[in-house]
Every structure is written in structure tokens, then in C-alpha cells.
Amino acid sequence: MSPHKEHNPNCCCRRIRGHGRRMTPARHAVLDALSERGEHLTAEEVFRSAARRYPNLGLATVYRTLELLTELGMVSRFDTGDDKARYEFADPTGAKGHHHHLVCTSCRKIIDYKDFIKEETELLRSTEEGLSRKYGFKINSHVIQFYGVCRECGG
Amino acid sequence: MSPHKEHNPNCCCRRIRGHGRRMTPARHAVLDALSERGEHLTAEEVFRSAARRYPNLGLATVYRTLELLTELGMVSRFDTGDDKARYEFADPTGAKGHHHHLVCTSCRKIIDYKDFIKEETELLRSTEEGLSRKYGFKINSHVIQFYGVCRECGG
DNA sequence: ATATAATTGAGAACGATTCTCAATAACTAT
DNA sequence: ATAGTTATTGAGAATCGTTCTCAATTATAT
Ligand SMILES: [Zn+2]
Ligand SMILES: [Zn+2]
Ligand SMILES: [Zn+2]
Ligand SMILES: [Zn+2]
């Protein structure tokens, strides 16, 4: 197996093993693809990327691994309105860090922005607290996305 | 055709006709279903509800109508992570008004909340302006959703 | 009433995701 | 290292929400 790059392999492996799951080359390949290829990848894109290093990989395994990583909170899954789920590392302390999305409804481009993350995060925290108190919800994650038309598409 | 209830039929009809489209019993039925049945309905739910009044209705027509209404900005479509699109009236001045969503990942319940809408809307406005300036985006809509576990599910 | 073009319902088709199952391989305890 | 236990795998079938096709219908303008 090739070494990991941007994510900590020991951390990932430990996290996976800690939940009684096994570390396999297929899962390594998916983790590598996620950290190399960057953000908001579809399962198909992860598959194509991971299969280059691990040709025997099956698409179903990619789906299963992405589901597992999502359950463990290591990956976040989200939709942008085109009937394909997107996946990216959920690590808020990583290189990319926590960000939100700007989606062009014309060309489907997705822009990660962090520009207003600080104010947004602050408001989110207090909102989460309020909602938690009022509705008895234990909030685990949030999605903030803006939809519109990008510059190239005539925005 | 039965009369509309919570939404203004003349407004809807005018809006649809204004775009060179025709007003039909099928579209009436969909509009009625949306206003009677409340928020975050799946296409299937809209279909079942509308078909009670207009038994000849086809599911494909419901999808087409929801798409049309979404294009016209009368309806908003969103996902909550269960592979089924949800639809609800987008009328910010209506009875329900603009709101955001709280989604239980265990029982899939969706709670509409407006409690912090004011602060959120304020921040959104300035964020939209900033993003618009920096990325040349013309922002048309946004999605804010919190995911977690509801009280009944052990939140 | 007639003409024109939009709309419809039914079912086929599509595509993303999940399921099935026998074969394989990761971990555990010797 | 060995063997046993059991999670994981790949391949393809199956599922299911959504879209497409097309001939028949119908809303609207004249
Ligand atoms: Zn664009
Ligand atoms: Zn992203
Ligand atoms: Zn619940
Ligand atoms: Zn709602």
C-alpha cells in the first residue's frame, strides 16, 4: 500500500480499528483518493481515482467505505441538487478546514469558501445551542449552501 | 376544480400563464396538494395527495409540475440525505414563511424552525453580498440545515 | 369552431445506489 | 507462523427515484 499524504494514516487506521472494523487496501485506496483529489467528489470520481492505485477495487466497496467513513464522522456527505451525493474529508483541522459551498446551478461548479466562516460558525454555534434547548435535538452537523449563477455562466 | 386554500389561485395561475405556460387541472391539483399537505413533501406524497382529487393524474406530471414551479421560484426543492427530493412552497410571505430545517438522522423527521431566522437572514444577506462581490456569483437561494438526533430518538 | 402547440398519462428507460453471495483476506488466539 | 473466526470483497443483479418517449388530449388564441 502506498503511504498516505495529507491525512494521518495511523489516525485513520486507529479510528477504523477502534470501531472493530478492519483496515484493508480498498479502504486505504479510498482514503488516499479523498485526500489527493480534494473536495466534493462523487462516489464515481472516488472510484476512478482509487482504482488507479488499486485496480481490483469494486464500485460497491467504494460506496460501502464512504458510508463507513461518514458514520465514523471522518467524511461528510452532502447533496448539491444533481442527484449525486458528494463526499469530502470532514476534518475541520485539516489543510482545507471547515468550509461552506457555493453552487452554480448552470454549470454545476462548486466553490468552497471560508471567507465568512468565522461569523457563520459563531452564529451556528448559538443557533445550535438554542435549537438543542428548544427541540431537544442533539445536533451533529450542518449544511450551508448558496445556489446561484457563477461569473462564467453570466452571474 | 376545487378552490385553492392557502395560496392565491389567481396569483399562481397568473404567474404560470405569464410565462407562456397553461393552467391545467393537473397543475391545480399539485398546487392544492402542496398547500394542504404542508411542508417538505416528496414527489410521491404530492402525487398521492393530489391524485385523491384528480384520480387521472400521472406521477410524471407531478414531477414535471414540481420542476416547473421550482423554475418559476414558487416552490423550493431540497434534499435531506435520504435520496428523495423534498418540495415546499417558497413563499416567504405566506402563512409558514421562510424557515430552515432540522433533520433527525435516525427517524428522518424534519422540523421547520424560524426561531433564529432573523439573525440568520441578516448574516446570510451580508454573506451573500460578500460572496457575490468576491466570486462574481449571482446568488438566488440558500439551504441551511442542521442534522442530528431528535428527542424521541435519544437526542 | 378551428388551428396550434403545450400538456398529459402510461410505461419504458435511466442512473445512482444498494443488495446478494460465494470467495477472500484481516485479525485473534493459539 | 498457524489455524479459526468473521469482516470484507468484487461482480453483477436488483432497487428505486426520477426522467424520457410518444401518441392522445386539451388549453388557449383567433
Ligand atoms: Zn457556472
Ligand atoms: Zn467542500
Ligand atoms: Zn428522530
Ligand atoms: Zn420546510
Side-chain angles (χ1 to χ4, degrees):
Chain A
M1 258 312 87
S2 60
H4 295 273
K5 294 210 170 140
E6 293 168 44
H7 66 278
N8 185 326
N10 296 320
C11 168
C12 291
C13 299
R14 217 179 298 131
R15 196 108 157 240
I16 288 174
R17 291 218 184 80
H19 283 258
R21 318 301 299 267
R22 297 173 179 176
M23 202 53 210
T24 67
R27 287 175 181 166
H28 262 236
V30 168
L31 285 166
D32 283 340
L34 282 172
S35 58
E36 283 169 14
R37 286 286 315 281
E39 282 72 29
H40 38 75
L41 300 171
T42 64
E44 185 69 33
E45 289 168 340
V46 172
F47 172 65
R48 280 204 298 274
S49 186
R52 232 178 291 126
R53 298 194 161 197
Y54 187 62
N56 207 34
L57 184 64
L59 178 55
T61 299
V62 171
Y63 275 103
R64 285 183 291 230
T65 302
L66 290 171
E67 185 186 18
L68 170 63
L69 296 175
T70 301
E71 277 168 10
L72 298 187
M74 300 165 67
V75 159
S76 79
R77 173 196 158 138
F78 59 96
D79 297 297
T80 61
D82 66 347
D83 297 326
K84 285 180 234 172
R86 307 265 169 179
Y87 302 85
E88 59 187 19
F89 267 119
D91 181 15
T93 65
K96 191 77 189 189
H98 186 64
H99 60 271
H100 294 154
H101 295 132
L102 210 49
V103 181
C104 176
T105 51
S106 172
C107 70
R108 290 277 135 209
K109 174 167 43 200
I110 301 173
I111 293 180
D112 298 316
Y113 75 88
K114 304 177 64 173
D115 307 87
F116 306 91
I117 278 295
K118 203 166 151 200
E119 297 90 317
E120 288 179 14
T121 302
E122 235 164 68
L123 178 61
L124 287 175
R125 186 166 31 238
S126 72
T127 301
E128 287 186 10
E129 198 180 307
L131 289 173
S132 180
R133 199 178 308 119
K134 173 161 183 182
Y135 297 102
F137 245 79
K138 182 187 177 312
I139 293 173
N140 294 319
S141 66
H142 61 255
V143 170
I144 293 194
Q145 287 173 181
F146 290 96
Y147 291 90
V149 183
C150 76
R151 197 185 331 251
E152 288 71 32
C153 288
Chain B
M1 259 310 86
S2 60
H4 295 272
K5 297 214 166 134
E6 293 167 42
H7 66 278
N8 184 327
N10 297 319
C11 169
C12 291
C13 300
R14 216 179 298 132
R15 196 108 158 241
I16 287 173
R17 291 215 184 82
H19 282 258
R21 317 302 299 269
R22 295 174 180 176
M23 202 53 211
T24 67
R27 287 175 179 165
H28 262 260
V30 168
L31 285 165
D32 283 340
L34 281 172
S35 59
E36 282 169 16
R37 287 287 314 282
E39 281 73 28
H40 38 77
L41 301 172
T42 64
E44 185 69 36
E45 289 168 341
V46 172
F47 172 65
R48 280 205 299 272
S49 186
R52 232 179 291 124
R53 298 196 162 196
Y54 186 61
N56 207 35
L57 184 64
L59 178 56
T61 299
V62 171
Y63 275 103
R64 285 183 291 232
T65 302
L66 290 171
E67 187 186 15
L68 170 64
L69 296 175
T70 302
E71 278 168 10
L72 298 187
M74 299 165 68
V75 159
S76 79
R77 174 196 157 137
F78 59 97
D79 297 297
T80 61
D82 67 346
D83 297 327
K84 285 181 230 169
R86 307 265 170 180
Y87 302 86
E88 60 188 20
F89 268 119
D91 182 14
T93 64
K96 191 79 191 190
H98 186 65
H99 59 271
H100 294 156
H101 295 131
L102 210 49
V103 181
C104 177
T105 52
S106 170
C107 68
R108 292 276 136 208
K109 174 167 43 200
I110 301 173
I111 293 181
D112 298 316
Y113 75 87
K114 304 178 65 173
D115 307 84
F116 307 90
I117 279 296
K118 204 167 152 199
E119 297 90 318
E120 288 179 14
T121 302
E122 236 164 67
L123 177 60
L124 286 176
R125 187 165 31 236
S126 72
T127 302
E128 288 186 8
E129 199 180 307
L131 290 174
S132 179
R133 199 178 308 119
K134 172 161 183 183
Y135 297 103
F137 246 78
K138 181 185 178 313
I139 293 173
N140 295 317
S141 66
H142 62 256
V143 170
I144 294 193
Q145 287 174 180
F146 290 96
Y147 291 90
V149 183
C150 76
R151 200 187 326 253
E152 287 72 30
C153 289

